[in-house]
Amino acid sequence: MAGTCTLSSVTPPLSFYGGGDGQGQMTHFVKDDGLNIFRLPVGWQYLVNNVLGGKLDSNNFGKYNTLVQICLNTGASCIVDIHNYARWNGTIIGQGGPTDEQFASVWSQLAQIYQGQSRVLFGVMNEPHDLNVSRWGESVQVAVNAIRNAGAKSQYILLPGTNAMNFVEDGSAAALEPITNPDGSKTGLVFDVHKYLDIDGSGTHTNCVSNHINDTFDPLAEYLHSVGRMAILTETGGGPNDTSCIIDLCQALHYIDTNSDVYLGYVGWAAGSFDTTYTVTETPFEYNGVFTDQPLVKDCIVGEFK
């Protein structure tokens, strides 16, 4: 999780680029399942063709934007997610690595392009970790300012902490709660959290050990109520056929749904170009253009949503 990106190995999850059938999958998830949001990860280096602080690369960004537009064309909301762990090639944003201004530059450019798309959400960063969280809050504030000042005045901006289970205890809440829009309001600023249900919370095991309602989702809901804020669970999942995961994830997502006053929603990980044998795959099986969901997706991601 060093925030690296090997450009030569990047293949967008679209069949005409040589990747998975992301277009067919998203269409299926919306049309057949009724789902309404997708998260579209991308490497920072890919967007700017490895030029830190540079302009969006017309070729690379063009391909990513094709994915975003296909997502939007389904009628769903689409999270633009910079998937770099608060890093550029191992160095931390604002903490010895890229400057806040370089980070703000890429977000300013993205916001200028998507400012007119009400169904685009800006996922400031995927899974910041092992950093000074207070200083990280300052970097996020600069990114928020850049997005709003570029013209994206009303879309959701997702503010990433370091750990959903310890969102308050690890300092994420204290670092992110004061962040405001340039006008001083906090409208549209939503906390971004992840939580897997396996033994170490890594999402690398097929079995689950807890629904984490009592130790994670309920305490976070209490905190959100206390400060009048919302969060979104943008990454969760489990073994696609595992009974323990189906039970635990369904219970967790049911809790999220029944506390929609503080939880904006949830997004599962992951489909697209991930193989149907991936540990926590949510990629549907496809035969002659017909898609069949993984059991975990059918029972929990779709079942709880409906």
Side-chain angles (χ1 to χ4, degrees), residues 183-197:
D183 65 4
S185 73
K186 297 180 181 179
T187 305
L189 304 182
V190 175
F191 300 133
D192 186 356
V193 298
H194 293 178
K195 185 60 187 174
Y196 287 98
L197 312 181

Side-chain angles (χ1 to χ4, degrees), residues 5-268:
C5 179
T6 303
L7 300 192
S8 60
S9 68
V10 176
T11 303
L14 295 169
S15 56
F16 49 82
Y17 289 141
D21 186 10
Q23 182 170 10
Q25 291 176 34
M26 287 190 287
T27 300
H28 156 70
F29 285 134
V30 173
K31 181 180 178 181
D32 300 332
D33 292 340
L35 300 181
N36 65 0
I37 189 167
F38 300 104
R39 183 167 172 253
L40 309 176
V42 65
W44 184 1
Q45 293 92 331
Y46 182 75
L47 291 174
V48 295
N49 200 30
N50 248 341
V51 179
L52 181 59
K55 299 296 183 182
L56 295 175
D57 180 76
S58 59
N59 180 62
N60 293 354
F61 173 70
K63 291 179 179 179
Y64 180 72
N65 185 50
T66 297
L67 179 66
V68 175
Q69 297 305 322
I70 288 172
C71 176
L72 289 169
N73 286 341
T74 67
S77 295
C78 311
I79 302 173
V80 174
D81 162 45
I82 295 186
H83 214 79
N84 274 68
Y85 306 94
R87 286 159 169 77
W88 174 287
N89 296 338
T91 61
I92 301 171
I93 298 166
Q95 300 180 41
T99 65
D100 290 345
E101 290 70 28
Q102 289 169 325
F103 184 42
S105 171
V106 68
W107 272 120
S108 178
Q109 294 176 71
L110 289 168
Q112 287 177 41
I113 291 168
Y114 295 123
Q115 61 177 297
Q117 294 286 355
S118 62
R119 287 183 284 109
V120 166
L121 294 77
F122 300 107
V124 169
M125 181 57 62
N126 175 70
E127 295 185 356
H129 67 91
D130 298 302
L131 44 67
N132 181 317
V133 70
S134 296
R135 179 63 183 85
W136 168 243
E138 297 175 16
S139 298
V140 176
Q141 178 67 75
V142 173
V144 167
N145 291 345
I147 292 168
R148 295 299 192 219
N149 290 334
K153 303 295 186 183
S154 60
Q155 291 107 316
Y156 287 116
I157 301 177
L158 310 184
L159 313 180
T162 59
N163 189 318
M165 189 167 183
N166 299 303
F167 187 79
V168 176
E169 291 82 357
D170 73 358
S172 292
L176 300 178
E177 202 284 327
I179 292 173
T180 66
N181 296 307
D183 65 4
S185 73
K186 297 180 181 179
T187 305
L189 304 182
V190 175
F191 300 133
D192 186 356
V193 298
H194 293 178
K195 185 60 187 174
Y196 287 98
L197 312 181
D198 53 354
I199 191 168
D200 58 0
S202 65
T204 60
H205 305 85
T206 56
N207 62 311
C208 298
V209 298
S210 171
N211 58 33
H212 287 292
I213 292 173
N214 290 335
D215 62 16
T216 301
F217 297 115
D218 190 55
L220 179 55
E222 290 183 7
Y223 168 75
L224 294 169
H225 278 122
S226 73
V227 294
R229 301 296 295 275
M230 297 191 76
I232 182 170
L233 179 66
T234 61
E235 195 170 314
T236 191
N241 302 288
D242 185 81
T243 300
S244 65
C245 287
I246 291 173
I247 291 172
D248 287 340
L249 186 62
C250 283
Q251 291 173 348
L253 298 185
H254 181 74
Y255 181 89
I256 296 290
D257 282 342
T258 55
N259 288 273
S260 59
D261 58 330
V262 290
Y263 284 110
L264 187 63
Y266 58 82
V267 184

